[in-house]
mmCIF file of all heavy atoms in Angstrom:
data_model
loop_
_atom_site.group_PDB
_atom_site.id
_atom_site.type_symbol
_atom_site.label_atom_id
_atom_site.label_comp_id
_atom_site.label_asym_id
_atom_site.label_seq_id
_atom_site.Cartn_x
_atom_site.Cartn_y
_atom_site.Cartn_z
ATOM 1 N N ILE G 413 -115.983 166.674 8.522
ATOM 2 C CA ILE G 413 -116.378 166.424 9.903
ATOM 3 C C ILE G 413 -117.859 166.078 9.942
ATOM 4 O O ILE G 413 -118.687 166.763 9.335
ATOM 5 C CB ILE G 413 -116.067 167.646 10.800
ATOM 6 C CG1 ILE G 413 -114.551 167.808 10.912
ATOM 7 C CG2 ILE G 413 -116.711 167.487 12.179
ATOM 8 C CD1 ILE G 413 -114.098 168.992 11.723
ATOM 9 N N GLY G 414 -118.158 164.983 10.631
ATOM 10 C CA GLY G 414 -119.522 164.484 10.774
ATOM 11 C C GLY G 414 -119.438 163.046 11.263
ATOM 12 O O GLY G 414 -118.356 162.567 11.618
ATOM 13 N N ASP G 415 -120.553 162.331 11.266
ATOM 14 C CA ASP G 415 -120.557 160.939 11.695
ATOM 15 C C ASP G 415 -119.795 160.098 10.663
ATOM 16 O O ASP G 415 -120.229 159.986 9.517
ATOM 17 C CB ASP G 415 -122.007 160.453 11.814
ATOM 18 C CG ASP G 415 -122.101 159.015 12.280
ATOM 19 O OD1 ASP G 415 -121.455 158.127 11.664
ATOM 20 O OD2 ASP G 415 -122.845 158.761 13.239
ATOM 21 N N PRO G 416 -118.643 159.524 11.050
ATOM 22 C CA PRO G 416 -117.794 158.815 10.085
ATOM 23 C C PRO G 416 -118.511 157.701 9.316
ATOM 24 O O PRO G 416 -118.363 157.591 8.100
ATOM 25 C CB PRO G 416 -116.660 158.240 10.936
ATOM 26 C CG PRO G 416 -116.628 159.080 12.160
ATOM 27 C CD PRO G 416 -118.046 159.504 12.391
ATOM 28 N N HIS G 417 -119.307 156.897 10.021
ATOM 29 C CA HIS G 417 -119.986 155.780 9.367
ATOM 30 C C HIS G 417 -121.038 156.280 8.370
ATOM 31 O O HIS G 417 -121.130 155.799 7.243
ATOM 32 C CB HIS G 417 -120.618 154.843 10.400
ATOM 33 C CG HIS G 417 -121.324 153.687 9.764
ATOM 34 N ND1 HIS G 417 -120.645 152.668 9.127
ATOM 35 C CD2 HIS G 417 -122.648 153.406 9.644
ATOM 36 C CE1 HIS G 417 -121.523 151.803 8.641
ATOM 37 N NE2 HIS G 417 -122.744 152.228 8.943
ATOM 38 N N VAL G 418 -121.821 157.260 8.788
ATOM 39 C CA VAL G 418 -122.871 157.812 7.922
ATOM 40 C C VAL G 418 -122.241 158.446 6.678
ATOM 41 O O VAL G 418 -122.718 158.256 5.555
ATOM 42 C CB VAL G 418 -123.744 158.839 8.690
ATOM 43 C CG1 VAL G 418 -124.709 159.553 7.755
ATOM 44 C CG2 VAL G 418 -124.519 158.143 9.808
ATOM 45 N N LEU G 419 -121.147 159.194 6.872
ATOM 46 C CA LEU G 419 -120.483 159.849 5.743
ATOM 47 C C LEU G 419 -119.913 158.823 4.756
ATOM 48 O O LEU G 419 -120.083 158.969 3.540
ATOM 49 C CB LEU G 419 -119.369 160.777 6.236
ATOM 50 C CG LEU G 419 -119.822 161.986 7.063
ATOM 51 C CD1 LEU G 419 -118.613 162.715 7.636
ATOM 52 C CD2 LEU G 419 -120.679 162.941 6.240
ATOM 53 N N SER G 420 -119.240 157.784 5.258
ATOM 54 C CA SER G 420 -118.649 156.811 4.339
ATOM 55 C C SER G 420 -119.731 156.007 3.623
ATOM 56 O O SER G 420 -119.590 155.676 2.446
ATOM 57 C CB SER G 420 -117.643 155.903 5.047
ATOM 58 O OG SER G 420 -118.255 155.155 6.042
ATOM 59 N N THR G 421 -120.837 155.741 4.307
ATOM 60 C CA THR G 421 -121.959 155.045 3.673
ATOM 61 C C THR G 421 -122.556 155.894 2.550
ATOM 62 O O THR G 421 -122.929 155.370 1.498
ATOM 63 C CB THR G 421 -123.050 154.699 4.720
ATOM 64 O OG1 THR G 421 -122.451 153.905 5.741
ATOM 65 C CG2 THR G 421 -124.203 153.938 4.102
ATOM 66 N N ALA G 422 -122.624 157.204 2.757
ATOM 67 C CA ALA G 422 -123.195 158.115 1.756
ATOM 68 C C ALA G 422 -122.377 158.132 0.467
ATOM 69 O O ALA G 422 -122.889 158.479 -0.592
ATOM 70 C CB ALA G 422 -123.289 159.529 2.331
ATOM 71 N N LEU G 423 -121.107 157.767 0.562
ATOM 72 C CA LEU G 423 -120.245 157.771 -0.619
ATOM 73 C C LEU G 423 -120.226 156.434 -1.348
ATOM 74 O O LEU G 423 -119.925 156.374 -2.533
ATOM 75 C CB LEU G 423 -118.809 158.128 -0.219
ATOM 76 C CG LEU G 423 -118.609 159.511 0.384
ATOM 77 C CD1 LEU G 423 -117.172 159.660 0.864
ATOM 78 C CD2 LEU G 423 -118.961 160.597 -0.613
ATOM 79 N N SER G 424 -120.542 155.357 -0.626
ATOM 80 C CA SER G 424 -120.272 154.028 -1.169
ATOM 81 C C SER G 424 -121.490 153.246 -1.642
ATOM 82 O O SER G 424 -121.356 152.098 -2.036
ATOM 83 C CB SER G 424 -119.503 153.204 -0.129
ATOM 84 O OG SER G 424 -120.233 153.155 1.079
ATOM 85 N N PHE G 425 -122.673 153.859 -1.634
ATOM 86 C CA PHE G 425 -123.839 153.116 -2.121
ATOM 87 C C PHE G 425 -123.725 152.902 -3.636
ATOM 88 O O PHE G 425 -122.975 153.584 -4.317
ATOM 89 C CB PHE G 425 -125.148 153.834 -1.745
ATOM 90 C CG PHE G 425 -125.362 155.167 -2.425
ATOM 91 C CD1 PHE G 425 -126.024 155.243 -3.645
ATOM 92 C CD2 PHE G 425 -124.917 156.337 -1.837
ATOM 93 C CE1 PHE G 425 -126.218 156.469 -4.275
ATOM 94 C CE2 PHE G 425 -125.102 157.571 -2.454
ATOM 95 C CZ PHE G 425 -125.756 157.622 -3.684
ATOM 96 N N SER G 426 -124.468 151.916 -4.138
ATOM 97 C CA SER G 426 -124.431 151.581 -5.566
ATOM 98 C C SER G 426 -124.827 152.812 -6.395
ATOM 99 O O SER G 426 -125.790 153.508 -6.061
ATOM 100 C CB SER G 426 -125.400 150.435 -5.844
ATOM 101 O OG SER G 426 -125.360 150.106 -7.196
ATOM 102 N N THR G 427 -124.086 153.106 -7.431
ATOM 103 C CA THR G 427 -124.208 154.284 -8.313
ATOM 104 C C THR G 427 -123.918 155.598 -7.584
ATOM 105 O O THR G 427 -124.252 156.670 -8.088
ATOM 106 C CB THR G 427 -125.587 154.381 -9.026
ATOM 107 O OG1 THR G 427 -126.598 154.753 -8.074
ATOM 108 C CG2 THR G 427 -125.956 153.080 -9.732
ATOM 109 N N GLY G 428 -123.307 155.523 -6.409
ATOM 110 C CA GLY G 428 -122.972 156.719 -5.642
ATOM 111 C C GLY G 428 -121.663 157.338 -6.101
ATOM 112 O O GLY G 428 -121.080 156.938 -7.114
ATOM 113 N N PRO G 429 -121.176 158.332 -5.342
ATOM 114 C CA PRO G 429 -119.971 159.078 -5.733
ATOM 115 C C PRO G 429 -118.731 158.220 -5.995
ATOM 116 O O PRO G 429 -118.022 158.451 -6.973
ATOM 117 C CB PRO G 429 -119.745 160.032 -4.562
ATOM 118 C CG PRO G 429 -121.100 160.236 -3.980
ATOM 119 C CD PRO G 429 -121.795 158.908 -4.147
ATOM 120 N N ILE G 430 -118.458 157.231 -5.148
ATOM 121 C CA ILE G 430 -117.243 156.430 -5.345
ATOM 122 C C ILE G 430 -117.337 155.646 -6.642
ATOM 123 O O ILE G 430 -116.407 155.648 -7.453
ATOM 124 C CB ILE G 430 -116.995 155.472 -4.146
ATOM 125 C CG1 ILE G 430 -116.611 156.288 -2.911
ATOM 126 C CG2 ILE G 430 -115.898 154.465 -4.481
ATOM 127 C CD1 ILE G 430 -116.456 155.461 -1.645
ATOM 128 N N GLU G 431 -118.485 154.989 -6.855
ATOM 129 C CA GLU G 431 -118.660 154.208 -8.080
ATOM 130 C C GLU G 431 -118.534 155.107 -9.319
ATOM 131 O O GLU G 431 -117.906 154.731 -10.313
ATOM 132 C CB GLU G 431 -120.013 153.494 -8.063
ATOM 133 C CG GLU G 431 -120.155 152.477 -9.183
ATOM 134 C CD GLU G 431 -121.442 151.677 -9.078
ATOM 135 O OE1 GLU G 431 -121.658 151.026 -8.034
ATOM 136 O OE2 GLU G 431 -122.227 151.707 -10.045
ATOM 137 N N THR G 432 -119.120 156.284 -9.272
ATOM 138 C CA THR G 432 -119.036 157.226 -10.400
ATOM 139 C C THR G 432 -117.589 157.635 -10.659
ATOM 140 O O THR G 432 -117.128 157.602 -11.801
ATOM 141 C CB THR G 432 -119.899 158.484 -10.115
ATOM 142 O OG1 THR G 432 -121.250 158.069 -9.942
ATOM 143 C CG2 THR G 432 -119.805 159.492 -11.250
ATOM 144 N N LEU G 433 -116.875 158.013 -9.598
ATOM 145 C CA LEU G 433 -115.476 158.439 -9.753
ATOM 146 C C LEU G 433 -114.613 157.311 -10.319
ATOM 147 O O LEU G 433 -113.769 157.540 -11.179
ATOM 148 C CB LEU G 433 -114.913 158.908 -8.410
ATOM 149 C CG LEU G 433 -115.373 160.291 -7.942
ATOM 150 C CD1 LEU G 433 -115.196 160.448 -6.440
ATOM 151 C CD2 LEU G 433 -114.618 161.386 -8.688
ATOM 152 N N GLU G 434 -114.837 156.089 -9.842
ATOM 153 C CA GLU G 434 -114.007 154.968 -10.284
ATOM 154 C C GLU G 434 -114.388 154.495 -11.689
ATOM 155 O O GLU G 434 -113.522 154.236 -12.527
ATOM 156 C CB GLU G 434 -114.098 153.812 -9.277
ATOM 157 C CG GLU G 434 -113.425 154.170 -7.960
ATOM 158 C CD GLU G 434 -113.483 153.077 -6.897
ATOM 159 O OE1 GLU G 434 -114.306 152.145 -7.026
ATOM 160 O OE2 GLU G 434 -112.693 153.170 -5.934
ATOM 161 N N THR G 435 -115.691 154.409 -11.963
ATOM 162 C CA THR G 435 -116.148 153.861 -13.231
ATOM 163 C C THR G 435 -116.020 154.860 -14.384
ATOM 164 O O THR G 435 -115.515 154.516 -15.451
ATOM 165 C CB THR G 435 -117.626 153.410 -13.117
ATOM 166 O OG1 THR G 435 -117.730 152.511 -12.025
ATOM 167 C CG2 THR G 435 -118.088 152.719 -14.389
ATOM 168 N N TYR G 436 -116.477 156.086 -14.168
ATOM 169 C CA TYR G 436 -116.532 157.058 -15.268
ATOM 170 C C TYR G 436 -115.306 157.959 -15.345
ATOM 171 O O TYR G 436 -114.944 158.427 -16.411
ATOM 172 C CB TYR G 436 -117.803 157.906 -15.170
ATOM 173 C CG TYR G 436 -119.052 157.071 -15.290
ATOM 174 C CD1 TYR G 436 -119.813 156.766 -14.178
ATOM 175 C CD2 TYR G 436 -119.442 156.544 -16.527
ATOM 176 C CE1 TYR G 436 -120.945 155.967 -14.279
ATOM 177 C CE2 TYR G 436 -120.567 155.747 -16.648
ATOM 178 C CZ TYR G 436 -121.316 155.465 -15.520
ATOM 179 O OH TYR G 436 -122.429 154.672 -15.627
ATOM 180 N N ASP G 437 -114.670 158.220 -14.194
ATOM 181 C CA ASP G 437 -113.534 159.141 -14.192
ATOM 182 C C ASP G 437 -112.197 158.402 -14.092
ATOM 183 O O ASP G 437 -111.147 159.032 -14.120
ATOM 184 C CB ASP G 437 -113.648 160.136 -13.036
ATOM 185 C CG ASP G 437 -114.872 161.044 -13.175
ATOM 186 O OD1 ASP G 437 -115.557 160.968 -14.211
ATOM 187 O OD2 ASP G 437 -115.143 161.820 -12.247
ATOM 188 N N GLY G 438 -112.239 157.088 -13.937
ATOM 189 C CA GLY G 438 -111.005 156.303 -13.859
ATOM 190 C C GLY G 438 -110.150 156.616 -12.639
ATOM 191 O O GLY G 438 -108.946 156.387 -12.646
ATOM 192 N N ALA G 439 -110.769 157.142 -11.588
ATOM 193 C CA ALA G 439 -110.015 157.526 -10.385
ATOM 194 C C ALA G 439 -110.015 156.377 -9.388
ATOM 195 O O ALA G 439 -110.853 155.475 -9.465
ATOM 196 C CB ALA G 439 -110.646 158.757 -9.748
ATOM 197 N N SER G 440 -109.083 156.419 -8.451
ATOM 198 C CA SER G 440 -109.165 155.503 -7.317
ATOM 199 C C SER G 440 -109.559 156.350 -6.103
ATOM 200 O O SER G 440 -109.121 157.491 -5.956
ATOM 201 C CB SER G 440 -107.847 154.767 -7.087
ATOM 202 O OG SER G 440 -106.831 155.672 -6.759
ATOM 203 N N VAL G 441 -110.425 155.776 -5.276
ATOM 204 C CA VAL G 441 -110.966 156.514 -4.143
ATOM 205 C C VAL G 441 -110.729 155.715 -2.869
ATOM 206 O O VAL G 441 -111.046 154.538 -2.801
ATOM 207 C CB VAL G 441 -112.482 156.763 -4.311
ATOM 208 C CG1 VAL G 441 -113.022 157.582 -3.138
ATOM 209 C CG2 VAL G 441 -112.780 157.461 -5.628
ATOM 210 N N GLU G 442 -110.142 156.381 -1.873
ATOM 211 C CA GLU G 442 -109.928 155.765 -0.567
ATOM 212 C C GLU G 442 -110.683 156.593 0.467
ATOM 213 O O GLU G 442 -110.571 157.812 0.483
ATOM 214 C CB GLU G 442 -108.433 155.746 -0.241
ATOM 215 C CG GLU G 442 -108.113 155.104 1.093
ATOM 216 C CD GLU G 442 -106.652 155.253 1.495
ATOM 217 O OE1 GLU G 442 -105.854 155.772 0.686
ATOM 218 O OE2 GLU G 442 -106.312 154.872 2.622
ATOM 219 N N VAL G 443 -111.458 155.917 1.321
ATOM 220 C CA VAL G 443 -112.192 156.606 2.386
ATOM 221 C C VAL G 443 -111.704 156.060 3.722
ATOM 222 O O VAL G 443 -111.732 154.862 3.955
ATOM 223 C CB VAL G 443 -113.720 156.385 2.263
ATOM 224 C CG1 VAL G 443 -114.448 157.089 3.403
ATOM 225 C CG2 VAL G 443 -114.225 156.877 0.918
ATOM 226 N N GLU G 444 -111.226 156.966 4.579
ATOM 227 C CA GLU G 444 -110.783 156.582 5.917
ATOM 228 C C GLU G 444 -111.738 157.195 6.939
ATOM 229 O O GLU G 444 -111.991 158.392 6.897
ATOM 230 C CB GLU G 444 -109.382 157.127 6.198
ATOM 231 C CG GLU G 444 -108.304 156.683 5.231
ATOM 232 C CD GLU G 444 -107.067 157.561 5.380
ATOM 233 O OE1 GLU G 444 -106.278 157.298 6.316
ATOM 234 O OE2 GLU G 444 -106.925 158.512 4.588
ATOM 235 N N GLU G 445 -112.262 156.352 7.848
ATOM 236 C CA GLU G 445 -113.068 156.871 8.949
ATOM 237 C C GLU G 445 -112.115 157.234 10.083
ATOM 238 O O GLU G 445 -111.289 156.420 10.477
ATOM 239 C CB GLU G 445 -114.086 155.811 9.409
ATOM 240 C CG GLU G 445 -115.134 155.511 8.362
ATOM 241 C CD GLU G 445 -116.244 154.591 8.863
ATOM 242 O OE1 GLU G 445 -116.401 154.430 10.095
ATOM 243 O OE2 GLU G 445 -116.945 154.029 8.009
ATOM 244 N N LEU G 446 -112.214 158.464 10.581
ATOM 245 C CA LEU G 446 -111.258 158.968 11.567
ATOM 246 C C LEU G 446 -111.952 159.458 12.831
ATOM 247 O O LEU G 446 -113.040 160.038 12.760
ATOM 248 C CB LEU G 446 -110.439 160.115 10.956
ATOM 249 C CG LEU G 446 -109.682 159.778 9.662
ATOM 250 C CD1 LEU G 446 -109.150 161.046 9.023
ATOM 251 C CD2 LEU G 446 -108.554 158.815 9.956
ATOM 252 N N GLU G 447 -111.289 159.257 13.965
ATOM 253 C CA GLU G 447 -111.826 159.768 15.233
ATOM 254 C C GLU G 447 -111.652 161.275 15.337
ATOM 255 O O GLU G 447 -112.427 161.951 16.010
ATOM 256 C CB GLU G 447 -111.127 159.090 16.414
ATOM 257 C CG GLU G 447 -111.525 157.639 16.601
ATOM 258 C CD GLU G 447 -110.799 156.998 17.778
ATOM 259 O OE1 GLU G 447 -110.367 157.735 18.688
ATOM 260 O OE2 GLU G 447 -110.668 155.769 17.763
ATOM 261 N N ALA G 448 -110.585 161.785 14.690
ATOM 262 C CA ALA G 448 -110.336 163.225 14.760
ATOM 263 C C ALA G 448 -109.874 163.752 13.408
ATOM 264 O O ALA G 448 -108.888 163.281 12.851
ATOM 265 C CB ALA G 448 -109.293 163.534 15.820
ATOM 266 N N VAL G 449 -110.619 164.696 12.890
ATOM 267 C CA VAL G 449 -110.266 165.406 11.664
ATOM 268 C C VAL G 449 -110.055 166.858 12.068
ATOM 269 O O VAL G 449 -110.878 167.421 12.790
ATOM 270 C CB VAL G 449 -111.411 165.308 10.615
ATOM 271 C CG1 VAL G 449 -111.123 166.188 9.417
ATOM 272 C CG2 VAL G 449 -111.634 163.867 10.194
ATOM 273 N N GLN G 450 -108.946 167.447 11.616
ATOM 274 C CA GLN G 450 -108.699 168.861 11.909
ATOM 275 C C GLN G 450 -108.820 169.654 10.623
ATOM 276 O O GLN G 450 -108.147 169.359 9.638
ATOM 277 C CB GLN G 450 -107.316 169.061 12.510
ATOM 278 C CG GLN G 450 -107.203 168.536 13.918
ATOM 279 C CD GLN G 450 -105.950 169.018 14.603
ATOM 280 O OE1 GLN G 450 -104.901 169.149 13.985
ATOM 281 N NE2 GLN G 450 -106.057 169.272 15.892
ATOM 282 N N ILE G 451 -109.680 170.654 10.652
ATOM 283 C CA ILE G 451 -109.864 171.546 9.508
ATOM 284 C C ILE G 451 -109.424 172.925 9.968
ATOM 285 O O ILE G 451 -110.041 173.523 10.846
ATOM 286 C CB ILE G 451 -111.323 171.525 9.024
ATOM 287 C CG1 ILE G 451 -111.656 170.127 8.491
ATOM 288 C CG2 ILE G 451 -111.560 172.603 7.981
ATOM 289 C CD1 ILE G 451 -113.080 169.955 8.018
ATOM 290 N N THR G 452 -108.314 173.393 9.392
ATOM 291 C CA THR G 452 -107.731 174.648 9.871
ATOM 292 C C THR G 452 -107.989 175.837 8.945
ATOM 293 O O THR G 452 -107.890 176.976 9.376
ATOM 294 C CB THR G 452 -106.210 174.484 10.065
ATOM 295 O OG1 THR G 452 -105.646 174.019 8.834
ATOM 296 C CG2 THR G 452 -105.901 173.478 11.173
ATOM 297 N N SER G 453 -108.290 175.566 7.679
ATOM 298 C CA SER G 453 -108.528 176.693 6.764
ATOM 299 C C SER G 453 -109.863 177.352 7.108
ATOM 300 O O SER G 453 -110.767 176.714 7.629
ATOM 301 C CB SER G 453 -108.516 176.219 5.308
ATOM 302 O OG SER G 453 -109.572 175.315 5.080
ATOM 303 N N VAL G 454 -109.950 178.634 6.827
ATOM 304 C CA VAL G 454 -111.184 179.385 7.089
ATOM 305 C C VAL G 454 -111.552 180.201 5.852
ATOM 306 O O VAL G 454 -110.717 180.472 4.996
ATOM 307 C CB VAL G 454 -111.041 180.324 8.319
ATOM 308 C CG1 VAL G 454 -110.850 179.516 9.593
ATOM 309 C CG2 VAL G 454 -109.908 181.302 8.144
ATOM 310 N N ARG G 455 -112.799 180.571 5.792
ATOM 311 C CA ARG G 455 -113.299 181.391 4.680
ATOM 312 C C ARG G 455 -113.340 182.856 5.112
ATOM 313 O O ARG G 455 -113.516 183.150 6.288
ATOM 314 C CB ARG G 455 -114.708 180.946 4.283
ATOM 315 C CG ARG G 455 -114.737 179.515 3.751
ATOM 316 C CD ARG G 455 -116.140 179.087 3.391
ATOM 317 N NE ARG G 455 -116.721 179.859 2.313
ATOM 318 C CZ ARG G 455 -116.439 179.689 1.031
ATOM 319 N NH1 ARG G 455 -115.566 178.779 0.665
ATOM 320 N NH2 ARG G 455 -117.021 180.427 0.102
#
């Protein structure tokens, strides 16, 4: 939960988390910007 555009930008800059996950870990990463995210688990 946070500003969707700011959060997705923080992940997708060059040498950022998405590039690292895809290049070094061989993962595929999908980022969806959502109007409503529900977080129900608690600590």
Side-chain angles (χ1 to χ4, degrees):
I413 292 178
D415 181 307
H417 180 70
V418 172
L419 295 173
S420 62
T421 302
L423 297 174
S424 56
F425 67 90
S426 181
T427 72
I430 291 175
E431 190 174 302
T432 300
L433 284 159
E434 291 179 343
T435 305
Y436 298 104
D437 296 354
S440 63
V441 182
E442 181 188 355
V443 179
E444 302 165 81
E445 293 187 17
L446 304 169
E447 288 180 24
V449 173
Q450 289 193 324
I451 295 178
T452 55
S453 63
V454 294
R455 296 179 64 78

